[in-house]
Amino acid sequence: MIKHLVSMGVTLAGGLVLAACSPQTSLPVVPTVTAAAAASQAEPGSLRAAAEACGLVIGAAVRTDPILNDSQYQAVVSSEFSSITTENALKFRTLSAQPGEYNFQDADTIVNFAREHGMRVHGHTLVWHKSLPDWLTAESFTPDELVLLLERHIGTVVGRYRGQVSTWDVVNEAIDSEGKLRESIWRQALGDDYIAQAFRLAHDADPAAQLFYTDYDMEFAGVKSDAIYELVRSLVEAGVPINGVGFQLHLRLDHLPDMDVMQANMQRLTALGLQVQITEMDVRVQDVNGTPAEKLSRQAAVYGDMMRVCLQTSGCSAVNTWGFTDAYTWIPDYTGKPDMPLLFDTAYTPKPAYTALQAQLAACHNQN
Ligand code: G3I
């Protein structure tokens, strides 16, 4: 194991400093994109302009291939959104194929695209029990080695994009459906304190970045959303540098939340002095009967409802979707069935869901 840690450049017990690895690509340090810079690039009539007028960040998760190769994808995402989330490019598995090696090519592509278009970057995700490199899950590292690996990972990744990634999903999906802390290699090594440690490490690497805990099913009442509230409350009470909570919102038409519950769950978090954001919204339509037009109409109502709740919640600072075109979405791969969960169809035509968001944003001045 030590040979792996040597190649990672970590400091071992006794203060022995081992050689650091060198990233395979380099990125110039640039200032963080400001809200004013983002606003200046918003085209009149776009979602981006409408959200900016409401003081809201509107974002979408993106993939590297179409950011490089699909000109329509590039044009729509840069004109309609003020922020992009790295769908997979900043996951540990994507970044590190071999022990001690980091390849930032995909992430750099997205961060550079954002900079060229005056967009923010939401970094996803530093600590997750999934999408870990095989070398990390296959090997049996000691707890001390895992602590060093976590320190090294967060320091390397957040440090590289210091001033360029303005918000981070620091810890993703740490609570299970029974409201208990999930098992993960990080919890085994550091104990339950791994969550607080991750936030502290991220803050040390970029004190200006806004740091989020994010999870799914937080829009419902029950043990999971209550446990997340308690976890976050205890982090705030302990002075851990956490700035907000992300509601993923992977929704399905046959299992929708009550809007009052959703808003109450947001408000109890903002009452702690935190921001809340919608971080991964999509609305799956494959599970219900109806014509395509009927499904898209029901889907639009859900998007509109969620935007309304965010606009009505002081402290809800962003609405982000998990992709923006039905041409690129994780859902068909996951369910084995076609779907159309996003704001634009596969030909990049805006769907009723897009119109519903625009309608809510147009009304934001009456709601605030
Ligand atoms: O790029 C390879 C391709 O070369 C290969 O041929 C193919 C074969 O399976 O796999 C491709 O990689 C896939 C990658 O998505 C890109 O499409 C991975 O197998 C697949 O596991 C990966 O899935 C991602 C998943 O997280 C796991 O990391 C999804 O795209 C991504 O949308 C999904 O996102 C998660 C969030 O991180 C957390 N919240 C839930 C959300 C949805 O599951």
Side-chain angles (χ1 to χ4, degrees):
M1 202 55 50
I2 291 298
K3 69 179 177 354
H4 295 331
L5 295 173
V6 168
S7 64
M8 291 169 211
V10 298
T11 306
L12 298 179
L16 176 63
V17 180
L18 301 168
C21 68
S22 49
Q24 295 177 10
T25 54
S26 62
L27 190 69
V29 174
V30 295
T32 305
V33 174
T34 63
S40 70
Q41 299 201 18
E43 294 172 17
S46 66
L47 211 47
R48 181 173 176 168
E52 185 67 35
C54 297
L56 187 76
V57 172
I58 184 93
V62 297
R63 297 184 174 178
T64 314
D65 280 357
I67 280 287
L68 284 170
N69 302 315
D70 182 336
S71 57
Q72 258 186 306
Y73 186 96
Q74 297 159 13
V76 172
V77 75
S78 60
S79 61
E80 296 288 349
F81 298 92
S82 58
S83 177
I84 45 183
T85 303
T86 53
E87 181 173 355
N88 292 314
L90 281 169
K91 289 173 179 171
F92 207 151
R93 185 178 180 83
T94 309
L95 289 172
S96 182
Q98 299 295 331
E101 287 183 13
Y102 276 86
N103 184 337
F104 291 103
Q105 202 170 338
D106 284 3
D108 284 359
T109 296
I110 292 172
V111 172
N112 289 340
F113 180 89
R115 184 172 61 247
E116 285 160 17
H117 295 90
M119 305 170 85
R120 295 162 186 265
V121 181
H122 183 86
H124 176 84
T125 177
L126 297 170
V127 178
W128 192 22
H129 61 288
K130 289 185 179 173
S131 291
L132 295 166
D134 289 339
W135 61 261
L136 182 54
T137 50
E139 303 256 15
S140 50
F141 290 96
T142 67
D144 285 350
E145 289 168 341
L146 284 167
V147 171
L148 291 172
L149 280 165
L150 187 67
E151 290 174 0
R152 172 76 179 159
H153 180 65
I154 294 178
T156 299
V157 178
V158 177
R160 179 179 181 81
Y161 296 110
R162 182 179 168 128
Q164 300 177 82
V165 171
S166 51
T167 44
W168 280 101
D169 289 334
V170 177
V171 178
N172 185 42
E173 301 174 6
I175 301 286
D176 69 16
S177 59
E178 295 176 355
K180 301 197 172 74
L181 279 178
R182 281 181 204 282
E183 274 312 324
S184 73
I185 56 169
W186 309 120
R187 188 171 174 224
Q188 282 163 20
L190 287 87
D192 296 354
D193 194 49
Y194 84 96
I195 296 175
Q197 281 296 344
F199 278 94
R200 291 190 186 104
L201 290 165
H203 181 70
D204 288 348
D206 185 355
Q210 301 279 298
L211 306 180
F212 282 72
Y213 174 84
T214 187
D215 216 321
Y216 58 87
D217 285 350
M218 294 172 55
E219 58 275 23
F220 298 106
V223 289
K224 178 165 181 174
S225 49
D226 288 350
I228 292 168
Y229 172 76
E230 278 307 318
L231 166 69
V232 168
R233 194 194 55 71
S234 70
L235 293 173
V236 170
E237 193 175 84
V240 173
I242 178 172
N243 302 100
V245 178
F247 287 61
Q248 290 187 4
L249 283 194
H250 293 292
L251 300 175
R252 348 177 341 177
L253 285 182
D254 65 340
H255 183 54
L256 291 171
D258 178 286
M259 290 302 129
D260 291 340
V261 169
M262 165 85 184
Q263 185 156 30
N265 285 358
M266 283 188 156
Q267 284 173 337
R268 66 177 170 175
L269 290 162
T270 59
L272 298 172
L274 298 171
Q275 298 170 55
V276 291
Q277 297 194 344
I278 292 172
T279 49
E280 302 186 13
M281 186 170 178
D282 48 25
V283 184
R284 195 188 302 185
V285 302
Q286 64 184 250
D287 309 294
V288 295
N289 295 322
T291 65
E294 287 166 352
K295 291 181 180 191
L296 293 183
S297 170
R298 290 174 63 183
Q299 178 186 61
V302 177
Y303 271 100
D305 282 345
M306 291 299 166
M307 176 60 86
R308 177 176 50 76
V309 167
C310 179
L311 289 170
Q312 287 176 341
T313 305
S314 176
C316 182
S317 51
V319 172
N320 301 281
T321 53
W322 203 239
F324 60 95
T325 162
D326 292 339
Y328 301 100
T329 161
W330 67 287
I331 291 173
D333 287 341
Y334 180 72
T335 64
K337 295 183 196 164
D339 213 306
M340 39 188 180
L342 293 162
L343 301 177
F344 294 81
D345 69 15
T346 55
Y348 295 96
T349 303
K351 293 164 56 183
Y354 173 92
T355 309
L357 292 191
Q358 284 277 20
Q360 289 299 329
L361 289 167
C364 74
H365 299 296
N366 301 329
Q367 294 171 356
N368 286 333

